Amino acid sequence: MKSSKYGIHRVIVPKGTLPQAALKISNDMNITSNEILIKVQALNIDSASFSQMEKAAHGDLEIIKTTIMDIVNKSGKMQNPVTGSGGMLIGTIEEIGSDLIGRSDLKVGDKIATLVSLSLTPLKIEKITAIYKDIDRVEIEGKAILFESGKCIKLPSDLSENLALAVLDVAGAPAQVSKLVTEGDNVLILGAFGKSGILCSYEAKKRAGKTGKVVGLVAFEKDKEDLIKTGFCDEVILADATNSIKVLDSALFASGGKEYDIAINCVNVTNTEMSTILPVRDEGIAYFFSMATSFTRAALGAEGVSKDIKLYIGNGYTKGHAQIALDELRESSILRKIFETRYA
Ligand SMILES: NC(=O)c1ccc[n+]([C@@H]2O[C@H](COP(=O)([O-])OP(=O)(O)OC[C@H]3O[C@@H](n4cnc5c(N)ncnc54)[C@H](OP(=O)(O)O)[C@@H]3O)[C@@H](O)[C@H]2O)c1
């Protein structure tokens, strides 16, 4: 039987919504003719989601485990009800619906990473076998389903699985940066030494070139030292991204008083909207990759300070995003080393 390419047939509550907005979807692992069944190896939980669960559990791994199992058992997917975000997964293709056979080069047995959020992916967890909280990784025994509209990528042979998973999780950010930043731009990156932040810093410098300026913002002295060493940022400033006045002052000091063409928010905590908006010039861009962003705070905040700027929501997908992000690791040995040390 053929089903909705967006997975609408799996929505249980409330009817009329898409799987991502649904409170409960069916995680029956019998596939239709246009779905793909995946044997899951690991979940890469979205950073905002993982840090929220970790905080609520006071770091207790058993409580985090129970939280994840409860969410999946209740909703049929791994969508944190507090942050609304998901993450992505890696696994092996176990079955391909008959209508999808031959439509791509995917075949049973391929190791893949999904490029659609866990917040809409039907998931069944039999057992959580390990949690690596430093890298938001949860290893499981379980299965998941990809709808016809869902994208996935075969894991590359030249990068380790963990490395690829880490990069693909945030692939949308550097790919969007490659399209938004142009030669000569003045760019501010908040959370510049995090996973998406460091990829964005590298890409922004590549695009802004010698005539542009990339300023990275980090919260800790050690991150500042390490980020300076990469050479991806022309300057690195130390500030708490939730303190918008301090961020504005430090950011403008670093740019010699010039407002920024574009500010990119890659932090994983709430209340950083104005720190992104305030340093941006009239008709510039504030790009919110962070899932901890509040649309209301950003929209009303920009209006409140009369900033006529473009507010971009960090769409996790843009054409060629996986390739752009993976290629960054192939291009830069510095970036690759950082990712190998942190995530491999
Ligand atoms: N739009 C999408 O499709 C999409 C996809 C994936 C992820 N995301 C979101 O993107 C954001 C970043 O993800 P990620 O994987 O790059 O996370 P990450 O590796 O945890 O990076 C977040 C960075 O923000 C820093 N930070 C935290 N609080 C800060 C503060 N008050 N001031 C300054 N810096 C602070 C962190 O520093 P410490 O490590 O020192 O705390 C870290 O370096 C998250 O909100 C995530 O949910 C969005």
Side-chain angles (χ1 to χ4, degrees):
M1 185 198 70
K2 193 171 164 127
S3 55
S4 154
K5 70 173 177 176
Y6 301 121
I8 296 166
H9 56 290
R10 285 192 174 263
V11 172
I12 298 174
V13 184
K15 287 285 180 209
T17 57
L18 283 153
Q20 191 159 42
L23 297 173
K24 186 173 174 61
I25 61 173
S26 163
N27 61 357
D28 177 345
M29 289 295 142
N30 291 306
I31 61 165
T32 63
S33 64
N34 55 338
E35 292 180 332
I36 291 177
L37 179 66
I38 302 158
K39 183 173 183 232
V40 182
Q41 179 185 329
L43 309 174
N44 216 68
I45 304 289
D46 169 73
S47 175
S49 168
F50 197 92
S51 53
Q52 184 280 324
M53 288 190 292
E54 193 180 3
K55 218 181 207 174
H58 303 289
D60 185 323
L61 288 186
E62 286 310 310
I63 298 179
I64 298 175
K65 248 187 207 179
T66 310
T67 307
I68 292 172
M69 289 303 285
D70 283 350
I71 291 173
V72 175
N73 288 338
K74 212 165 147 193
S75 62
K77 54 182 178 168
M78 182 50 218
Q79 182 177 32
N80 182 321
V82 181
T83 63
S85 56
M88 38 93 71
L89 62 84
I90 55 167
T92 309
I93 295 186
E94 197 162 283
E95 191 183 346
I96 300 179
S98 55
D99 289 339
L100 301 182
I101 293 173
R103 282 246 209 120
S104 68
D105 63 348
L106 292 175
K107 51 183 188 323
V108 170
D110 281 345
K111 263 273 171 82
I112 54 121
T114 56
L115 297 173
V116 283
S117 175
L118 288 176
S119 61
L120 60 87
T121 304
L123 175 69
K124 198 167 240 174
I125 302 181
E126 299 303 333
K127 197 172 160 191
I128 293 177
T129 50
I131 295 187
Y132 299 99
K133 61 180 182 177
D134 289 345
I135 52 172
D136 310 338
R137 177 100 21 101
V138 179
E139 297 200 344
I140 68 159
E141 284 170 15
K143 297 201 177 172
I145 281 169
L146 199 61
F147 305 132
E148 185 179 343
S149 62
K151 292 219 175 309
C152 70
I153 182 173
K154 279 201 224 181
L155 288 173
S157 53
D158 61 331
L159 299 170
S160 76
E161 273 170 25
N162 284 347
L163 216 55
L165 186 62
V167 174
L168 292 170
D169 177 38
V170 293
Q176 297 280 4
V177 167
S178 77
K179 296 173 186 182
L180 292 174
V181 175
T182 53
E183 181 83 32
D185 276 351
N186 221 8
V187 186
L188 174 67
I189 298 173
L190 296 95
F193 204 54
K195 185 159 63 173
S196 54
I198 188 93
L199 292 167
C200 288
S201 300
Y202 171 78
E203 193 65 39
K205 189 62 216 162
K206 188 169 133 186
R207 303 286 161 182
K210 286 202 174 78
T211 55
K213 182 164 189 172
V214 176
V215 175
L217 179 146
V218 296
F220 298 101
E221 186 61 45
K222 177 81 177 82
D223 287 353
K224 181 178 175 183
E225 285 164 24
D226 290 342
L227 182 57
I228 288 171
K229 280 187 209 147
T230 65
F232 298 164
C233 293
D234 298 290
E235 281 202 43
V236 180
I237 56 178
L238 198 60
D240 175 354
T242 63
N243 184 339
S244 48
I245 307 304
K246 171 87 191 324
V247 171
L248 177 65
D249 287 347
S250 312
L252 290 183
F253 184 75
S255 64
K258 193 175 168 216
E259 288 181 325
Y260 288 77
D261 299 298
I262 173 164
I264 298 156
N265 186 323
C266 291
V267 299
N268 58 351
V269 292
T270 54
N271 282 314
T272 63
E273 292 80 3
M274 292 315 287
S275 296
T276 317
I277 289 169
L278 283 175
V280 176
R281 69 164 168 80
D282 195 38
E283 295 185 4
I285 295 171
Y287 173 75
F288 293 99
F289 188 68
S290 168
M291 284 289 169
T293 304
S294 151
F295 174 85
T296 314
R297 272 198 295 263
L300 292 180
E303 182 204 271
V305 292
S306 302
K307 281 265 177 186
D308 181 3
I309 60 175
K310 298 180 193 77
L311 302 178
Y312 277 60
I313 296 175
N315 183 348
Y317 174 71
T318 183
K319 287 188 188 75
H321 69 324
Q323 207 54 46
I324 292 170
L326 290 170
D327 281 348
E328 286 193 354
L329 284 206
R330 296 182 176 116
E331 282 166 18
S332 167
S333 57
I334 299 172
L335 206 47
R336 189 166 176 151
K337 202 163 167 215
I338 292 172
F339 268 71
E340 273 167 355
T341 311
R342 284 190 198 169
Y343 308 108

